[in-house]
């Protein structure tokens, strides 16, 4: 017998997490690792919120409406990363993209891993797409969901009208960034490069929407490790990706990422896996980004005071977010998430 549909929550209860994700995604993507000084935080939220936040909301809502789990979210996040870096700002293909920033000296290292024919750096592709997966999409989603109670954590927030509004917001934000980058950089990727990026995006989306991600899988009898262990492999990936430059470094980074993903997927099938495990795995990237913020310069030159104030603000915000999410996700001590599908009600009809 099908489960009774849960009562529809009022819009005033469904809207706050949407707004929170809209603001957190651009901050995590561009500010959490030291990319901007403190006086640029607000402009980042205003101008990049529709694009980054809109994408995070659409990805999260797509997965939750389908009753899919984190594999769908991660694959859609990867599709967004390719879309953003390959088609919107085209940083993946533009060798001059960072020349007017304080990261211009990374160009030589990037060119050491150029893919013949397509002329993009595999090292930069790993960094750009990887950061979009873990910082722009996954970390903000897991943080906001962790603040919600177990009965609301995996439920959709928006109905069709709300999704249309967010979709339009995302498209307008992306067009704004594309037109601004096009006017500023004067660069357009080649037809072959654009075709490659488009095909890759479509392939990732198609894979993310496979029915297999919506099938529940039985739990293993062996218990999951302590939640903090779920974050440790993510930290090791971040520390290990810069061990050596060139193709060897890319190979190590890809191998570490694959091993980490496989290990977390295995742990997620064990009994006792809950929201704190998900938070540790998804939030570790934000914690390590905040820790390294003191060691990297912002994109544009800033006074030492402004740069330091930004780094301190990143630390305070990260500690508050992760600490608050950890406390909230422990309420009830109820396993809340599986890696695969979780039955959901499709309750939102409006909003």
């Amino acid at each position: 017998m099908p489960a009774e549909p849960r009562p529809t929550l009022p819009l005033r209860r469904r809207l706050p997490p949407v707004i929170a994700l809209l603001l957190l995604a651009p901050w995590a993507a561009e500010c959490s690792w030291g990319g901007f000084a403190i006086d640029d935080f607000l402009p980042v939220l205003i101008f990049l919120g529709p694009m980054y936040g809109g994408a995070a909301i659409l990805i999260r809502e797509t997965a939750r409406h389908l009753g899919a789990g984190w594999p769908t979210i991660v694959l859609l996040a990867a599709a967004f990363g390719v879309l953003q870096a390959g088609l919107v700002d085209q940083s993946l293909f533009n060798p001059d993209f960072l020349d007017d920033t304080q990261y211009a000296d990374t160009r030589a290292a990037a060119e050491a891993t150029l893919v013949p024919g397509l002329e993009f750096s595999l090292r930069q592709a790993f960094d750009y797409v990887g950061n979009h997966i873990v910082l722009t999409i996954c970390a903000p989603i897991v943080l906001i969901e962790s603040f919600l109670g177990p009965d609301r954590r995996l439920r959709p927030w928006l109905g069709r009208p709300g999704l249309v509004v967010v979709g339009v917001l995302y498209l307008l934000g992306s067009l704004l960034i594309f037109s601004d980058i096009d006017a500023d950089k004067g660069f357009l990727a080649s037809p072959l490069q654009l075709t490659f990026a488009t095909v890759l995006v479509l392939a990732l989306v198609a894979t993310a929407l496979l029915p297999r991600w919506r099938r529940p899988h039985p739990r293993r009898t062996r218990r999951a490790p302590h939640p903090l262990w779920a974050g440790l492999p993510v930290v090791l990936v971040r520390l290990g990706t810069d061990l050596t430059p060139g193709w060897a470094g890319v190979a190590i980074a890809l191998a570490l990422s694959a091993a980490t993903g496989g290990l977390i997927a295995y742990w997620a099938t064990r009994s006792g896996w809950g929201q704190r495990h998900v938070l540790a795995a998804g939030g570790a990237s934000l914690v390590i980004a905040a820790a390294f913020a003191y060691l990297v310069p912002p994109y544009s030159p800033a006074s030492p005071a402004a740069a330091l104030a930004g780094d301190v603000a990143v630390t305070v915000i990260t500690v508050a977010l992760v600490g608050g999410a950890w406390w909230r996700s422990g309420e009830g001590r109820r396993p809340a998430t599986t890696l695969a599908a979780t039955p959901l009600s499709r309750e939102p009809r409006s909003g």
Side-chain angles (χ1 to χ4, degrees), residues 9-27 45 48-62 64-65 136-137 140-148 152-153 155-170 347-348 350-351:
L9 293 173
L11 185 61
R12 71 176 185 275
R13 294 193 64 193
R14 291 187 281 118
L15 202 53
V18 174
I19 297 174
L21 186 54
L22 187 71
L23 298 176
L24 181 56
W27 181 85
L45 299 185
L48 298 182
M51 180 177 63
Y52 287 151
I57 294 167
L58 291 174
I59 288 171
R60 190 264 175 196
E61 290 298 286
T62 297
R64 298 316 184 199
H65 273 282
T136 309
I137 306 298
I141 290 175
V142 75
L143 281 168
I144 300 303
E145 288 189 344
S146 295
F147 272 98
L148 302 176
R152 298 175 56 201
R153 195 165 285 150
R155 298 169 70 177
W157 299 331
L158 297 174
R160 289 180 182 175
L163 291 175
V164 169
V165 171
V166 174
V168 171
L169 191 66
Y170 166 71
E347 40 103 335
S350 62

Side-chain angles (χ1 to χ4, degrees), residues 26 40-53 169-170 172-174 176-177 180:
D40 288 325
F41 281 13
L42 183 58
V44 166
L45 299 185
I46 294 173
F47 292 106
L48 298 182
M51 180 177 63
Y52 287 151
L169 191 66
Y170 166 71
L172 292 176
S174 297
L176 173 65
I177 298 303
D180 182 64

Side-chain angles (χ1 to χ4, degrees), residues 118-198:
L118 291 169
E119 300 304 316
F120 72 88
S121 167
L122 192 59
R123 176 71 225 194
Q124 282 187 334
F126 176 85
D127 291 339
Y128 292 165
V129 177
N131 283 339
H132 280 310
I133 293 173
V134 299
L135 289 180
T136 309
I137 306 298
C138 291
I141 290 175
V142 75
L143 281 168
I144 300 303
E145 288 189 344
S146 295
F147 272 98
L148 302 176
D151 60 329
R152 298 175 56 201
R153 195 165 285 150
L154 304 181
R155 298 169 70 177
W157 299 331
L158 297 174
R160 289 180 182 175
L163 291 175
V164 169
V165 171
V166 174
V168 171
L169 191 66
Y170 166 71
L171 288 175
L172 292 176
S174 297
L175 287 173
L176 173 65
I177 298 303
F178 174 79
S179 60
D180 182 64
I181 292 292
D182 182 57
D184 183 45
K185 306 288 184 180
F187 173 85
L188 185 64
S190 71
L192 178 62
Q193 291 171 329
L194 295 175
T195 301
F196 169 77
T198 301

